Amino acid sequence: MTPLLQVKDVAKMYGRRIGCADVSFDLYPGEVMGIVGESGSGKSTLLNCLAGHLEPDSGQVVFDTRAEGPVDTVTMSEPERRMLGRTDWAFVHQHARDGLRMSVSAGGNIGERLMAVGARHYGGIRDQAADWLGRVEISEARIDDRPTAFSGGMQQRLQIARNLVTGPRLVFMDEPTGGLDVSVQARLLDLLRGLVREMGLSAIIVTHDLAVVRLLADRLMVMKDGHVVETGLTDQVLDDPQHAYTQLLVSSVLQA
Amino acid sequence: MIDLNNVSKTFTLHNQGSALIPVMEGATLSVKPGECVGLTGASGAGKSTLMRLIYGNYLAATGSIMVGSTDVATAEPREIISLRRDTLGYVSQFLRVVPRVPTIDVVAEPLLAVGSPAEAARDKAASLLARLNIPDHLWQLSPTTFSGGEQQRVNIARGFAYDYPALLLDEPTASLDAKNRATVLGLIEGAKARGAAIIGIFHDEAAREQVCDRFIDVSAFAPRAAA
């Protein structure tokens, strides 16, 4: 099986300071990988390098495209990368406002991504938007409301609908449940798990919440000071951590 | 089906002066399809540790742990994930689920993961829950609010929803009343009859005698230095 994403020696410096360095891994279709680490460990820098939002200083991010097979997305042209960002890739931001257009209706937010890949039939777009609102548990009656009138949890679910409507194969998530209260988090986790299984998605989730990765991620990568210190099966890394930093991280979690 | 050869396990506590704690050495055992092997030994002897090693939850220091054709000791995460999906089931003492997911879906999940149609998976889940005496008005609720015994039965239902060729059972009959205990032992006998290789920990002696074909005392795998 060809990996969906092959990351080879990705590095990003901020001046003389290390953003992230020597990061390599393969992600296979249907796999969900979590990246954990404290603030400043380089996990968001890495995610942005992988998703094409930041240009890495060195290394390759090879994606298995539908048309041409594995292609290095770092060296591909900007329009090609943008196209990938609208079709096979999705990015769920921590703050829904960063991933939504706040002045456009909920239906418009979902429809916009469909139109970006060539959908033109208004009725069809509206039907799909309504269908996706249902899948993320937002009432169809809210289709013409702007996201500014939505709660934080609803905005996050709308952002997910907007991202998944084009049937992406790889979803990047940056703290998708951060800043939501726990009952909303649980619902979002359940939703994400269901969607990942139904659509066979691969995902890379950056979070500092170990409980979230335990429930969502198959594999885990632990980062510290821009470097990967440990990788492995999620429950193995959490229950039998090998590296000193991971042991500290795991033992620092408050038991609810 | 399950073959361990010379497995050892050491914990290194980096944050406590890099203390090295050897917990297991030279663990060797073999379980054939249709056979149920009981692990024995005093509390702390390493019964659960051995199970966690076989499930890939703990990383073995040395040795090989073959389950079917996969060596858990050296397998990539995705190989262990597919092993757990298709081959190796584990009924632990703790139920760990996404909050707010209905019990019936928790039980049906292993079947959905192997691609069973949603309706068939729910039917199977319903019949298991009924057999284990979980009242049907609870099926739509999340098991997180259930009593210990109910959670234990939900965990068992989930472990037996899909017919795994290999099963690890960590105290499946603990905290169950006589009737439910008999049901669980029936499920285990059913799994043996269809050819599952089973390793179990049973503190309940009568249960142990009823379903186990033989016993392995894990004290034999204690590290020599510590023994």
Side-chain angles (χ1 to χ4, degrees), chain A residues 9 13 31 44 51 81 93 101 107-108 138 163 165 180 221:
Chain A
D9 295 319
M13 302 291 288
E31 267 189 327
S44 293
R81 198 159 47 230
H93 295 265
R101 295 229 287 156
I138 295 175
N163 268 288
V165 66
L180 299 175
M221 191 157 100

Side-chain angles (χ1 to χ4, degrees), chain A residues 193-212:
Chain A
R193 244 164 72 127
L195 290 171
V196 163
R197 188 179 54 217
E198 275 168 39
M199 302 176 72
L201 296 175
S202 299
I204 299 177
I205 301 175
V206 161
T207 179
H208 60 256
D209 190 333
L210 300 184
V212 167

Side-chain angles (χ1 to χ4, degrees), chain A residues 21-22 29 38 56 61 67 95 130 165 175 194 202 214 244:
Chain A
D22 305 323
E38 60 199 0
V61 180
H95 302 291
V165 66
E175 303 273 8
S202 299
R214 192 188 276 277

Side-chain angles (χ1 to χ4, degrees), chain A residues 113-192:
Chain A
R113 201 164 141 115
L114 283 171
M115 287 168 69
V117 294
R120 287 293 175 265
H121 184 269
Y122 177 79
I125 293 171
R126 195 172 166 91
D127 286 348
Q128 274 209 58
D131 174 47
W132 266 95
L133 284 177
R135 290 172 76 164
V136 297
E137 302 169 29
I138 295 175
S139 158
E140 206 187 314
R142 305 293 299 268
I143 193 166
D144 294 318
D145 291 353
R146 290 182 184 180
T148 42
F150 286 3
S151 69
M154 282 170 76
Q155 287 181 3
Q156 195 58 296
R157 279 179 274 139
L158 178 61
Q159 190 193 186
I160 288 166
R162 172 182 161 100
N163 268 288
L164 297 188
V165 66
T166 51
R169 291 188 294 152
L170 177 59
V171 185
F172 301 98
M173 298 190 222
D174 190 2
E175 303 273 8
T177 59
L180 299 175
D181 71 65
V182 286
S183 63
V184 179
Q185 263 191 29
R187 190 157 163 203
L188 196 67
L189 283 175
D190 180 28
L191 176 73
L192 284 173

Side-chain angles (χ1 to χ4, degrees), chain B residues 132-170:
Chain B
L132 286 157
N133 300 306
I134 305 283
D136 56 9
H137 63 268
L138 296 180
W139 296 356
Q140 291 305 322
L141 305 177
S142 163
T144 45
T145 56
F146 288 7
S147 74
E150 284 167 343
Q151 290 197 2
Q152 172 76 351
R153 280 178 276 149
V154 171
N155 224 0
I156 291 165
R158 185 180 154 89
F160 283 90
Y162 167 68
D163 289 340
Y164 295 102
L167 262 175
L168 305 171
L169 308 173
D170 194 346

Side-chain angles (χ1 to χ4, degrees), chain B residues 31-219:
Chain B
V31 184
K32 289 192 288 289
E35 195 180 25
C36 178
V37 170
L39 299 181
T40 60
S43 186
K47 300 184 293 292
S48 293
T49 299
L50 190 59
M51 282 218 174
R52 284 167 172 251
L53 283 165
I54 298 170
Y55 198 58
N57 181 231
Y58 283 173
L59 205 61
T62 62
S64 71
I65 303 173
M66 299 301 298
V67 179
S69 54
T70 306
D71 182 358
V72 175
T74 56
E76 292 289 315
R78 66 194 170 88
E79 295 172 306
I80 296 185
I81 288 159
S82 65
L83 182 78
R84 288 176 179 184
R85 186 181 55 229
D86 301 323
T87 310
L88 181 63
Y90 178 38
V91 176
S92 72
Q93 296 184 65
F94 308 100
L95 183 67
R96 201 168 238 148
V97 294
V98 178
R100 302 177 53 170
V101 176
T103 297
I104 187 140
D105 294 342
V106 168
V107 175
E109 200 191 6
L111 284 167
L112 296 175
V114 292
S116 297
E119 203 167 319
R122 284 175 76 96
D123 286 350
K124 180 81 190 275
S127 81
L128 276 163
L129 287 169
R131 241 180 114 177
L132 286 157
N133 300 306
I134 305 283
D136 56 9
H137 63 268
L138 296 180
W139 296 356
Q140 291 305 322
L141 305 177
S142 163
T144 45
T145 56
F146 288 7
S147 74
E150 284 167 343
Q151 290 197 2
Q152 172 76 351
R153 280 178 276 149
V154 171
N155 224 0
I156 291 165
R158 185 180 154 89
F160 283 90
Y162 167 68
D163 289 340
Y164 295 102
L167 262 175
L168 305 171
L169 308 173
D170 194 346
E171 299 239 35
T173 54
S175 65
L176 296 185
D177 58 31
K179 192 174 159 207
N180 286 313
R181 183 171 152 275
T183 306
V184 173
L185 295 177
L187 284 170
I188 296 172
E189 281 171 337
K192 278 171 68 177
R194 64 167 172 79
I198 302 173
I199 296 182
I201 299 173
F202 302 89
H203 278 300
D204 172 356
E205 215 163 301
R208 190 154 73 191
E209 295 299 332
Q210 189 183 330
V211 295
C212 294
D213 300 300
R214 60 192 168 92
F215 299 100
I216 292 173
D217 185 352
V218 298
S219 325

